[in-house]
Amino acid sequence: MRVLLHTGKGGVGKTSLALASALGAAAHGHRVFVLSTDSAHSLGDALGRPVGPQPVEIAPGVLAQEVAALAELDRAWSEIQEFFAQLLRGAEDELAFEELLVFPGLEELVALRAVRDVERRGDCDVCVVDCAPTGSTLRLLRLPDVLRIFMGSVFATKRRASKLLKPVADRVGLGRFVAPDDVFEAFERLYGDVEDVRQILLDEDRTSARLVVNPARVVVEETRRSFAYLSLYGVATDAVLVNRVLPAEAARGYFATWAARERRELDEIAESFPVPRFQAPLLAREPIGIEALSALARALYAEEDPARRFADTRPIRLVKRDGRTLLEIELRHTSVTDVDVSTRGDELMVRVGGAQRCIALPGSVTGRAVESVQIDAGVLAIGFAS
Ligand SMILES: Nc1ncnc2c1ncn2[C@@H]1O[C@H](COP(=O)(O)OP(=O)(O)OP(=O)(O)O)[C@@H](O)[C@H]1O
Ligand SMILES: [Mg+2]
């Protein structure tokens, strides 16, 4: 099943274009499921009919659902949170605890479990996701790392320790550091879910991100960063959808200056993203309802099948060059001074601007020192000692 994530800055047209992509894919004969994981759901607004948390058929061969993430955050997860709250009281300097306490990305993650559920249904070829604005989507992608660090260091130790130490811990007043079994189990379930979702999102054959952008300065700049961060987290962007482009007939007279500015931004967009672009005009009215959204799909994709994979880039790859092993990450518009690389055990920590990723290194390079860090033609290459 193909998964098409539609993300981008707030208000650029993610919901409208997600629905357009879904209807366009259905027109090519695919069975499609549209999910909204943005807690501020608006599939219903764009369709001009209610959607809700149960799947409904919105057009022949197209089901839609607005995932009720908060309602899905079940009791077990509140237990985990309570446990972390207690832990934090004992270890205020631990950033990982703090991050977990606020559960960055958890809500989106719970919502994204729905993607896995759609895949398990087995009756859909394409799952189109209307995501929350990029910031939340990126937080979600960071969550597995946070969980893994936590799992690997603190939690696993605690679990081993708990069986032996609990009675002792209780006696010396450390009981709060030893989680009860139901918290461990809830945590492991959460971790399992995160891994399932991550497997889907990081598989570039299955999942493609579509970045929705408007031809406006601030939007383009933010979208460039998003492109780099998605790549750092291992999610492949295969197209940029440029929405609300002034049509030629509107670009004369009163709007001429706007149109000239837009042309510069369009050139900038063309240079900024190494993937195909699709363009939709600024319509005379809001595209609401199946008919208007289907027309938007045709304007955007013309004869193309929206479910296709438009670029076959792999955002993160291990390559061999001249006998050396390099880890390459697609990072356009980043300079080497924005990048910080370090190793920790069998993991590589890569920080790029405001985003950080910890990448589990494959056996062939674990334990080897990082020898070089370079950026060339938009690709970060991390060289390992041989
Ligand atoms: N090409 C277009 N021409 C005219 N109006 C459009 C176009 N695309 C979207 N709109 C309208 O712009 C508004 C915002 O679009 P939409 O809700 O799809 O954006 P969004 O990125 O999902 O927003 P949010 O970040 O709030 O979820 C809606 O009223 C929508 O109907
Ligand atoms: Mg939206």
Side-chain angles (χ1 to χ4, degrees), residues 36-37 39 41 52-54 65-73 107 110-111:
S36 156
T37 61
S39 50
H41 296 297
Q54 294 303 322
Q65 182 188 3
E66 292 174 336
V67 184
L70 281 177
E72 282 207 13
L73 277 174
E107 196 181 326
V110 175

Side-chain angles (χ1 to χ4, degrees), residues 87-368:
L87 265 186
L88 191 64
R89 268 168 238 141
E92 272 144 63
D93 54 340
E94 279 287 352
L95 189 71
F97 290 169
E98 207 166 317
E99 278 196 60
L100 277 167
L101 190 61
V102 291
F103 277 103
L106 183 61
E107 196 181 326
E108 291 90 344
L109 174 93
V110 175
L112 269 180
R113 281 197 304 190
V115 174
R116 180 193 64 179
D117 299 340
V118 171
E119 192 167 63
R120 288 183 179 169
R121 287 169 64 105
D123 61 353
C124 293
D125 314 306
V126 184
C127 180
V128 173
V129 187
D130 173 20
C131 295
T134 346
S136 324
T137 307
L138 293 170
R139 271 204 307 280
L140 148 85
L141 294 171
R142 166 106 178 90
L143 184 68
D145 278 355
V146 178
L147 287 179
R148 204 174 59 234
I149 296 170
F150 197 79
M151 229 22 207
S153 56
V154 188
F155 222 66
T157 327
K158 290 284 173 280
R159 171 147 225 183
R160 271 198 305 278
S162 73
K163 297 247 172 353
L164 302 168
L165 288 185
K166 187 148 191 351
V168 184
D170 281 345
R171 233 179 313 134
V172 297
L174 280 176
R176 67 158 189 256
F177 285 107
V178 183
D181 277 348
D182 49 354
V183 173
F184 282 124
E185 275 154 27
F187 197 85
E188 269 168 2
R189 258 202 322 276
L190 166 66
Y191 190 66
D193 286 349
V194 171
E195 276 309 307
D196 283 355
V197 173
R198 187 152 92 140
Q199 291 298 322
I200 298 176
L201 297 186
L202 300 198
D203 174 353
E204 59 269 352
D205 287 330
R206 273 191 284 181
T207 301
S208 300
R210 304 264 158 99
L211 277 170
V212 183
V213 62
N214 294 153
R217 181 102 298 245
V218 281
V219 182
V220 176
E221 276 171 13
E222 184 178 315
T223 310
R224 275 178 175 174
R225 277 195 296 277
S226 305
F227 190 94
Y229 293 167
L230 281 169
S231 178
L232 175 66
Y233 288 120
V235 177
T237 301
D238 80 335
V240 169
L241 311 180
V242 191
N243 190 28
R244 290 212 198 92
V245 179
L246 274 177
E249 63 270 28
R252 287 185 287 270
Y254 190 82
F255 287 108
T257 320
W258 282 111
R261 217 162 115 176
E262 257 198 26
R263 273 195 299 278
R264 285 197 296 277
E265 292 308 326
L266 288 170
D267 289 343
E268 189 78 33
I269 292 172
E271 281 170 22
S272 298
F273 305 102
V275 294
R277 288 172 317 277
F278 295 94
Q279 220 165 287
L282 173 68
L283 301 166
R285 61 184 66 84
E286 289 183 312
I288 291 178
I290 295 294
E291 210 168 300
L293 292 164
S294 301
L296 185 59
R298 289 190 295 275
L300 193 64
Y301 292 106
E303 300 302 313
E304 277 288 4
D305 176 358
R308 232 190 71 188
R309 190 174 154 198
F310 295 115
D312 58 4
T313 44
R314 288 184 59 203
I316 298 187
R317 57 211 174 227
L318 206 60
V319 296
K320 262 213 150 43
R321 270 190 234 293
D322 305 329
R324 288 181 66 220
T325 307
L326 299 170
L327 183 83
E328 291 187 340
I329 308 178
E330 293 276 342
L331 286 180
R332 297 246 164 166
H333 307 286
T334 310
S335 84
V336 83
T337 50
D338 296 332
V339 178
D340 186 45
V341 178
S342 60
T343 45
R344 201 168 72 177
D346 51 6
E347 296 193 320
L348 184 76
M349 313 290 288
V350 184
R351 188 190 291 276
V352 178
Q356 185 181 324
R357 170 89 200 273
C358 106
I359 300 167
L361 289 173
S364 57
V365 290
T366 42
R368 296 216 222 144

Side-chain angles (χ1 to χ4, degrees), residues 371-385:
E371 215 173 43
S372 61
V373 177
Q374 281 176 327
I375 294 193
D376 192 19
V379 178
L380 170 71
I382 300 165
F384 293 90

Side-chain angles (χ1 to χ4, degrees), residues 14-15 38 42 130:
K14 298 178 291 296
T15 304
D38 184 354
S42 59
D130 173 20

